[in-house]
Amino acid sequence: MVRTFRDIPGVEWVEGTGNFITIDEEKCTGCGNCLKVCLAECYEIVNKKARIRSMEKCMECGACWYSCEDGAIDFSWPAGGTGFRTNWG
Amino acid sequence: MVEQYDVIVVGAGFGGPVAAKQCADSGLHTIMLERSKIPGEKVVSGLVIPVYGFLFGPEFIREGNPPIERPIRSVMNRFVKNGEIYASDHSLRLPAPFTVGYSTYCKPFCIWLADRAVDSGVELRTATTAVDVIIENGFVRGVITDKGEELRSKIVIDAGGTQNNLSLKAGIRKKFVPEAIELYMIWDFEMAKEDVDSVFGNSMEFFHAMPDEKIGAPLGYGSTLYFFTYRDSIHPGLGQFLVTEGKIPNVAKLLREYFDNFTTKVRRWREDIAPKVKLRAVTWDVCPIYAGLIPEMRKMPYFGNGMLIIGDAAGFESAAFGDGVPSAWFSAEIAAGVALESIKAGDTSKAFLKRYGDRVKADPFIMHTITDTRRWDMREVLKSKSENEHKKRIRDHWGIGAFRYKYMGGPCLKATGRSIKNDPGIIAKWPEMFRRYYRNWEENRFDRLSTD
Ligand SMILES: Cc1cc2nc3c(=O)[nH]c(=O)nc-3n(C[C@H](O)[C@H](O)[C@H](O)COP(=O)(O)OP(=O)(O)OC[C@H]3O[C@@H](n4cnc5c(N)ncnc54)[C@H](O)[C@@H]3O)c2cc1C
């Protein structure tokens, strides 16, 4: 299955990525850096902890992973052939 | 099942295919893994590849017919205040067929590169993510794919781009600090070729402004808003560092705001551009632009037992211009050469592979460009707020001053001398390349891609 979104034209998302970004709740201090750098609005803060809201528009840039000063975010790649793709990069 | 190769190249972006092709041309049994289904589908970039990459990079690119969007012959710098252009610097411009660079979409260009690697005998496996490295006795001996396969090799070349997981897993590198990383947002607009021709010509255009204009990051903390011009589209983008003035601001919100401000306030956009364009795509990605300016990042190794790291994965992006394709190509060629020597010598130890590090350091461009402080130093203008100083610095950065010996002039001269020494015939091949690339563009005729 392939998904598209009107607010992000020209990009498609192929399903089946698996959980390629995870948050370690123990380490998260709820600073919110991940929210501030994520153009795909993947994160939310619930009970002072970051939580993944939705990965559906993630462009796999890793800005959240780089900005997480607590080392709470783990970032790997989606399964081969899944995740975002574009003809216009 | 275990498969044995001489070399595994991870990533078929801009650098990987160059390394893989050269390895295969030297007779090494080479496989290239790419996580996307088609090469280049996951590469988000500017993209104007500066001409020094073509002149001094891989011969097969210089002598080939890769798909380019537009030969870029000049840089138009616009200085904006209250939405109006109050000054321009167009000092850097060249007559056809000479160029400062070539614009291109990542996907066709990366397919073209991967095709050349495959032509040379590289086994390309797409839709395959390398999820981990195999380590034995302290040596990288291969990778594990997302399908659980073990692929073994004497050397692994990590060409995985900025988010270089594998060299982290191998314990060779650490992730980039956020001060080194710029988040870019890019818009792609369709625009009729005649309109691109009349509005921009073969220029790329930059909009420089003081921070209170709010059409870009504070000076030195991001790239100004640029318009790269393609055949029948334009590709504006802008970026900001994850850490700006010591803090992590709401970069995601700011990038959108800058572009909104630009499109609502700046007359050049409203009157000359907006009526002629249609939004086609929005993308974003990060770049390790300041990796070479932060000592702890610059000093991180780019090789270890059984592993060589090239391109963005090694932090080889120009700190002044944000271009990384030339250094991905240069480092790919150096890595392939060293891989061959180490396999022949039967020694893939870090001590042997140190020659990769030495040659990267001796390259005329790589170290020079990753330690170029011209963009970083724009922070001085934030303090002085002097328009004259701003203009002077831009002229030295994106204008004719870029060719001063201490900036790009010196490395270009050194590379010219070196190239001629290796192959005197290159003197004729350079103008021939300019002419052929220009003709290809005018006729809109490039090599067929395997996906066509
Ligand atoms: C917004 C932006 C603008 C830029 N503008 C310019 C410009 O104008 N000019 C210029 O020269 N440079 C520019 N650059 C930089 C340029 O894009 C990079 O320097 C260049 O792409 C680096 O090449 P690379 O081979 O190191 O990595 P990439 O080209 O990023 O290729 C990496 C490849 O590896 C694949 N991959 C990664 N990990 C794995 C894995 N584990 N398994 C399998 N496959 C994997 C990826 O899918 C990708 O295809 C820009 C970059 C950005 C983000």
Side-chain angles (χ1 to χ4, degrees):
Chain A
M1 263 282 284
V2 173
R3 273 144 108 37
T4 55
F5 299 93
R6 198 173 299 165
D7 58 332
I8 311 177
V11 182
E12 295 181 344
W13 282 264
V14 180
E15 287 187 346
T17 57
N19 292 333
F20 61 99
I21 295 180
T22 53
I23 308 170
D24 183 336
E25 271 218 17
E26 300 278 289
K27 290 188 187 159
C28 177
T29 58
C31 73
N33 283 347
C34 48
L35 259 80
K36 293 196 241 169
V37 301
C38 180
L39 279 156
E41 297 167 341
C42 293
Y43 292 92
E44 61 188 356
I45 300 279
V46 177
N47 297 330
K48 299 195 176 146
K49 299 275 179 194
R51 199 170 77 175
I52 293 189
R53 194 185 62 81
S54 161
M55 295 280 288
E56 60 185 8
K57 296 177 184 171
C58 176
M59 231 176 280
E60 302 152 27
C61 75
C64 54
W65 178 56
Y66 289 115
S67 307
C68 181
E69 284 159 351
D70 308 320
I73 295 181
D74 191 43
F75 174 87
S76 60
W77 295 121
T82 71
F84 93 101
R85 70 176 185 214
T86 181
N87 290 335
W88 313 114
Chain B
M1 203 184 86
V2 179
E3 290 179 69
Q4 177 70 46
Y5 296 90
D6 291 318
V7 179
I8 298 172
V9 176
V10 178
F14 280 94
V18 169
K21 175 178 162 46
Q22 193 177 319
C23 287
D25 285 339
S26 330
L28 299 176
H29 184 34
T30 308
I31 186 172
M32 177 161 63
L33 308 178
E34 171 51 54
R35 67 192 188 95
S36 58
K37 205 166 161 205
I38 299 173
E41 281 190 316
K42 282 181 182 283
V43 183
V44 168
S45 190
L47 174 69
V48 171
I49 305 176
V51 70
Y52 71 92
F54 294 88
L55 295 175
F56 307 113
E59 188 179 13
F60 79 92
I61 301 175
R62 187 163 49 247
E63 301 202 348
N65 303 289
I68 56 160
E69 284 285 328
R70 191 171 278 265
I72 305 297
R73 293 198 315 205
S74 70
V75 186
M76 175 62 91
N77 292 291
R78 306 291 198 183
F79 294 87
V80 179
K81 198 162 49 184
N82 301 325
E84 301 293 334
I85 291 167
Y86 71 92
S88 299
D89 179 330
H90 197 197
S91 57
L92 181 50
R93 53 174 193 267
L94 299 169
F98 299 106
T99 60
V100 296
Y102 297 93
S103 60
T104 178
Y105 284 108
C106 297
K107 187 173 166 183
F109 207 104
C110 290
I111 294 171
W112 184 85
L113 290 171
D115 284 352
R116 301 291 77 76
V118 170
D119 288 348
S120 291
V122 171
E123 179 183 338
L124 170 63
R125 215 175 281 182
T126 55
T128 303
T129 307
V131 293
D132 210 344
V133 283
I134 301 169
I135 298 188
E136 281 168 8
N137 305 322
F139 276 72
V140 173
R141 300 286 192 204
V143 302
I144 298 170
T145 73
D146 59 325
K147 314 210 169 47
E149 289 167 292
E150 270 190 26
L151 303 175
R152 291 182 165 258
S153 65
K154 294 170 185 151
I155 294 274
V156 171
I157 297 181
D158 180 359
T162 304
Q163 303 86 342
N164 56 335
N165 263 321
L166 285 187
S167 52
L168 269 60
K169 290 200 163 136
I172 298 172
R173 292 178 68 85
K174 297 200 178 81
K175 77 174 172 180
F176 294 113
V177 295
E179 286 80 359
I181 296 282
E182 183 170 3
L183 176 62
Y184 273 92
M185 192 164 180
I186 303 122
W187 294 262
D188 184 75
F189 291 90
E190 291 173 79
M191 186 174 192
K193 179 172 179 295
E194 309 78 70
D195 290 335
V196 185
D197 289 345
S198 68
V199 175
F200 297 99
N202 285 52
S203 276
M204 50 183 179
E205 190 158 322
F206 291 76
F207 290 85
H208 307 283
M210 292 293 179
D212 42 8
E213 193 74 15
K214 294 200 166 46
I215 59 166
L219 298 172
Y221 291 100
S223 126
T224 46
L225 178 61
Y226 60 79
F227 278 75
F228 288 168
T229 48
Y230 289 19
R231 171 173 289 279
D232 45 17
S233 57
I234 54 170
H235 211 71
L238 51 79
Q240 179 156 341
F241 281 84
L242 296 179
V243 177
T244 299
E245 298 176 308
K247 288 195 291 283
I248 296 193
N250 197 326
V251 190
K253 185 161 151 257
L254 286 168
L255 293 178
R256 289 202 168 94
E257 269 175 23
Y258 299 146
F259 199 65
D260 280 352
N261 289 340
F262 178 80
T263 52
T264 46
K265 285 191 203 149
V266 176
R267 191 210 296 250
R268 167 96 169 129
W269 168 268
R270 286 197 331 258
E271 295 182 1
D272 300 344
I273 308 170
K276 303 183 174 108
V277 300
K278 186 166 158 248
L279 182 65
R280 178 162 61 186
V282 177
T283 53
W284 57 82
D285 199 4
V286 299
C287 258
I289 306 261
Y290 285 162
L293 298 181
I294 298 170
E296 125 194 51
M297 296 288 105
R298 185 174 63 244
K299 289 186 188 138
M300 263 198 291
Y302 20 88
F303 56 94
N305 290 328
M307 188 177 230
L308 297 166
I309 303 155
I310 69 166
D312 279 8
F316 296 155
E317 288 229 14
S318 154
F321 298 117
D323 60 287
V325 172
S327 287
W329 288 348
F330 303 147
S331 58
E333 291 196 295
I334 300 171
V338 170
L340 177 67
E341 291 167 24
S342 83
I343 289 169
K344 269 193 181 157
D347 183 353
T348 62
S349 68
K350 188 174 166 183
F352 191 97
L353 299 181
K354 180 177 173 294
R355 58 180 72 184
Y356 171 64
D358 295 341
R359 286 177 207 172
V360 162
K361 287 192 186 117
D363 181 87
F365 293 101
I366 302 175
M367 283 300 144
H368 184 90
T369 54
I370 73 169
T371 56
D372 188 328
T373 61
R374 276 176 291 167
R375 187 192 284 186
W376 179 289
D377 291 344
M378 284 286 170
R379 295 170 186 191
E380 305 289 320
V381 181
L382 276 186
K383 289 186 210 135
S384 71
K385 296 201 169 64
S386 155
E387 283 173 6
N388 279 340
E389 191 193 342
H390 190 196
K391 283 188 221 153
K392 201 168 133 260
R393 283 176 185 264
I394 292 297
R395 196 180 172 83
D396 266 2
H397 192 159
W398 292 108
I400 191 73
F403 281 121
R404 281 175 197 269
Y405 188 81
K406 64 176 174 176
Y407 299 136
M408 291 307 279
C412 285
L413 275 180
K414 261 184 236 161
T416 303
R418 217 157 102 157
S419 302
I420 295 174
K421 204 167 141 216
N422 289 341
D423 169 21
I426 201 163
I427 298 179
K429 289 178 193 160
W430 281 325
E432 203 274 317
M433 177 199 90
F434 281 115
R435 281 194 298 270
R436 178 164 28 82
Y437 273 35
Y438 218 85
R439 198 176 53 234
N440 288 351
W441 179 72
E442 282 179 329
E443 295 174 3
N444 197 11
R445 246 199 355 230
F446 308 98
D447 288 341
R448 267 181 71 93
L449 303 178
S450 58
T451 49
D452 283 347

